[in-house]
Amino acid sequence: MQDYVPPIADYRFLLTDVLDFDGTMQALEREVDADLAVAVLEEAGKLCVQTLAPLNRVGDEQGSQLADGSVQTPAGFPDAYQTFAAGGWASLSADPAHGGQGLPFILQLWIDEMMSATNLSFSLFPGLTRGAAEAIAAHGSEDMKARCLPPLVSGEWTGAMALTESGAGTDLALLKTKAIPEPDGSYSVTGQKIFISSGDHDFGGNIVHLVLARLPGAPEGVKGISLFLVPKFLPDAQGGFTARNAMSVGALEEKMGIHAQPTCVMNYDGATGWLVGEQHRGLAAMFVMMNAERLMVGMQGLGIAGAAYQQAAAYAKDRVQGRSADETRNPVPIIEHADVRRMLLNVRTFVEGGRALAGWTALQMEISRHHADAGERTKADAIVALLTPVVKAGFTDFGFESAVEAQQVFGGHGYVREWGMAQYVCDARIAQIYEGTNGVQAIDLVGRKLTMDGGVVAQNFFERVAADLVKAGETSAAARIVTATGETLDLLKAATSDLKGVGADDLSAAAVEYLRLFALVSLGWMWARMAAAADPKSHGEKIALANYYAARVLPQAYGLAGAIKAGAAPIMALAHESF
């Protein structure tokens, strides 16, 4: 395997030529420019290559182990985490009020991409910690913030999210974990949670679990769920956290991939916890963490696709087999064969288009947090909400497909562990499932996000895309991608109109195809912007890639539009007894 190459040149191109990073930072009165951003990304890339990548295969082979009730992560992981925290990477985008560096979220998302590319299992530890800190910052009491945020932000402590139970997966209304009030204001939490990533480890420091549970007499369904902070260690008389809480790891899940990540069955046996936010409003507080995690999971799909592409492209240029198209040479590097190029270009156009879309979305999040005008903050926040299921589900679907296509480039060698492609495929698969399955994300998009503000949010987004296409069309190099994206945008707008007011079955039947159509159009939009910004001399390949996307990828939109229009009838026609 060749060493991973951080995509620093592409980040710079996007920051300076496509996304107008400096202009956005100036408008938000933030003292960060593209040069500083690239310098940070360069250092993060070094960390990923030098510290995380060497542990990826060993982590997969050793896996995390449960011994005497405690989790042992693979060799090198505890030291790598200490290096990560000591370098300040845990605090990168966190609020300076809590000890963070307050750097733009675009850097965080792109660093998530590089971390996922080099060691997906490791990336979950800081990612979940960041989500826990954001939930506490948004909904915790002042005392809770003072106690917990500084060590979470610094990386001294880590975080975990405890939602799922064996009888309550996607349907959280069914959860049974109980929280009983105690005289001192704390709560006694009892229940079992499954699929708890980073539930325990041997990195040292506390582990803060955010646990969904029900109070006595709570309303039925999701309206009766509250959120509790349940730490591994409780405060002692001196104010330190040394007393072991009544929680334990019952088992580690044996998984298809991400073997180094400890996915725990957690038992809470009257564990001490504290309420986060209001009683019976736990989902609202937890969704702060969940939405942050969903963007991170989307970057996992993107990161693995990018790493898999690098390996497959290098292999294709080195591996010789078969005759040249004109039959004058034999053998030739397989990169000369059209089918191999097709697979590589499918992956690369997703990776570079996705990287741009992630960056644009992150800048909208920055506007939602820092713009001086409250109206602009609200509009940007709504756009992020609209795009979150698209990034999570679209990127992880394309990411898994990309890992499989990159593996296919290797032929039989792709099926052999030593080449690393099998790990990419196995690791990428989980991203389509956790943090809300991609089917659930699609239903969220069509059932909730399209109807935000009476449909105005989606309409404003479509208008923004259309305006950018008009502007990009002024550059002849972008003509093909502008035309193709414009035509598919019309399909997307028509599908959006057709879904208004339809029944639950028709909405659910259309959801997955609609989200994919939305993602394809959004990536086409980014390719139009990149093609228009590309200097033919220095970035001519961007124009060629945009043309490939227009000719070979965007035509999928027509089939998706047809499937959406077909409605639920073909799906529901077969009696359930016939399955």
Side-chain angles (χ1 to χ4, degrees):
M1 294 180 67
Q2 75 159 30
D3 289 341
Y4 174 73
V5 179
I8 304 302
D10 205 31
Y11 291 145
R12 182 180 286 278
F13 168 70
L14 292 173
L15 290 169
T16 59
D17 297 328
V18 180
L19 300 177
D20 188 23
F21 177 79
D22 285 354
T24 302
M25 293 299 104
Q26 290 168 11
L28 300 178
E29 298 183 350
R30 307 213 61 201
E31 296 180 0
V32 183
D33 61 15
D35 288 337
L36 175 59
V38 169
V40 172
L41 291 165
E42 286 176 336
E43 291 304 309
K46 292 176 185 176
L47 173 80
C48 291
V49 171
Q50 296 169 6
T51 302
L52 303 188
L55 299 177
N56 197 38
R57 181 172 173 180
V58 68
D60 185 58
E61 293 174 346
Q62 290 184 6
S64 285
Q65 306 293 328
L66 186 62
D68 299 325
S70 297
V71 169
Q72 296 176 353
T73 57
F77 270 60
D79 288 343
Y81 185 78
Q82 297 307 318
T83 298
F84 174 88
W89 297 107
S91 65
L92 187 84
S93 61
D95 191 333
H98 307 130
Q101 300 174 55
L103 288 171
F105 190 67
I106 188 172
L107 301 183
Q108 186 68 70
L109 273 193
W110 281 346
I111 291 171
D112 284 346
E113 176 195 351
M114 291 190 285
M115 291 178 63
S116 300
T118 50
N119 200 319
L120 177 55
S121 288
F122 182 94
S123 73
L124 283 163
F125 292 104
L128 287 162
T129 302
R130 188 170 73 240
E134 290 180 2
I136 293 168
H139 294 280
S141 67
E142 291 305 314
D143 179 66
M144 184 181 290
K145 293 177 188 178
R147 281 176 174 260
C148 298
L149 287 180
L152 282 170
V153 166
S154 71
E156 178 187 350
W157 291 5
T158 58
M161 178 169 58
L163 289 76
T164 307
E165 300 178 9
S166 58
T170 298
D171 190 356
L172 293 173
L174 301 176
L175 69 82
K176 302 298 185 185
T177 299
K178 299 294 186 183
I180 307 299
E182 296 293 340
D184 64 358
S186 68
Y187 294 80
S188 176
V189 179
T190 300
Q192 185 182 79
K193 300 287 186 177
I194 63 172
F195 303 153
I196 310 307
S197 299
S198 304
D200 193 45
H201 54 69
D202 52 357
F203 296 173
N206 211 347
I207 305 174
V208 172
H209 288 224
L210 293 184
V211 183
L212 290 179
R214 292 187 183 280
L215 290 165
E220 295 294 323
V222 296
K223 293 182 179 180
I225 297 173
S226 300
L227 182 64
F228 299 88
L229 185 154
V230 183
K232 179 177 180 178
F233 294 106
L234 297 169
D236 55 29
Q238 289 72 41
F241 285 77
T242 60
R244 190 70 164 84
N245 206 349
M247 55 192 281
S248 61
V249 182
L252 290 183
E253 304 289 358
E254 296 289 338
K255 308 186 296 294
M256 173 180 171
I258 58 168
H259 296 138
Q261 170 57 221
T263 306
C264 303
V265 175
M266 294 299 308
N267 297 319
Y268 304 94
D269 301 307
T272 299
W274 290 269
L275 183 68
V276 181
E278 301 176 27
Q279 292 186 3
H280 316 316
R281 295 278 298 162
L283 278 188
M286 182 62 90
F287 266 111
V288 173
M289 184 174 188
M290 290 175 68
N291 285 330
E293 302 310 319
R294 285 170 177 171
L295 291 174
M296 179 190 75
V297 171
M299 301 311 289
Q300 293 172 7
L302 183 66
I304 283 187
Y309 170 80
Q310 289 189 17
Q311 297 297 328
Y315 180 84
K317 288 184 277 190
D318 184 63
R319 171 71 163 162
V320 292
Q321 190 170 358
R323 294 179 178 274
S324 60
D326 61 6
E327 298 193 349
T328 62
R329 292 170 293 122
N330 181 33
V332 296
I334 63 172
I335 192 70
E336 294 191 24
H337 301 318
D339 185 56
V340 172
R341 285 174 169 250
R342 175 190 62 81
M343 291 186 286
L344 291 172
L345 287 166
N346 285 343
V347 178
R348 184 168 173 182
T349 51
F350 159 59
V351 170
E352 295 185 19
R355 187 175 292 142
L357 183 60
W360 189 87
T361 304
L363 288 179
Q364 292 304 303
M365 183 170 283
E366 205 68 18
I367 293 169
S368 75
R369 293 174 173 177
H370 298 289
H371 201 285
D373 186 295
E376 292 300 315
R377 293 198 301 271
T378 299
K379 285 195 295 185
D381 188 61
I383 288 291
V384 173
L386 176 69
L387 290 178
T388 293
V390 178
V391 171
K392 193 282 179 185
F395 283 23
T396 57
D397 279 346
F398 293 143
F400 178 72
E401 293 164 17
S402 294
V404 171
E405 285 207 288
Q407 181 188 41
Q408 187 75 10
V409 170
F410 282 75
H413 291 298
Y415 202 65
V416 176
R417 176 178 288 273
E418 69 176 285
W419 289 90
M421 306 310 291
Q423 184 182 348
Y424 289 140
V425 171
C426 291
D427 283 357
R429 185 64 182 90
I430 185 58
Q432 296 172 289
I433 299 172
Y434 59 14
E435 296 304 336
T437 66
N438 285 1
V440 169
Q441 299 299 315
I443 292 170
D444 175 55
L445 175 63
V446 299
R448 295 186 181 91
K449 302 304 172 58
L450 289 185
T451 59
M452 288 189 301
D453 197 14
V456 170
V457 175
Q459 181 61 36
N460 287 345
F461 177 73
F462 297 153
E463 290 175 359
R464 185 182 303 220
V465 173
D468 278 357
L469 292 178
V470 170
K471 183 177 180 180
E474 298 171 0
T475 304
S476 59
R480 188 170 189 176
I481 184 63
V482 165
T483 298
T485 303
E487 291 172 353
T488 52
L489 175 62
D490 288 341
L491 293 176
L492 179 61
K493 290 161 67 176
T496 304
S497 179
D498 290 344
L499 290 178
K500 290 180 179 178
V502 303
D505 278 348
D506 283 323
L507 203 63
S508 179
V512 168
E513 284 87 359
Y514 181 88
L515 188 146
R516 191 178 183 95
L517 175 59
F518 200 116
L520 287 172
V521 172
S522 299
L523 293 173
W525 166 45
M526 286 294 110
W527 274 113
R529 291 181 58 146
M530 286 189 283
D535 183 332
K537 294 181 180 178
S538 58
H539 291 99
E541 61 188 29
K542 292 289 187 185
I543 299 169
L545 290 166
N547 288 338
Y548 177 87
Y549 190 84
R552 299 285 305 193
V553 181
L554 273 178
Q556 295 177 30
Y558 294 91
L560 294 168
I564 293 167
K565 210 165 189 62
I571 296 174
M572 305 307 292
L574 191 64
H576 70 265
E577 297 86 357
S578 299
F579 281 89

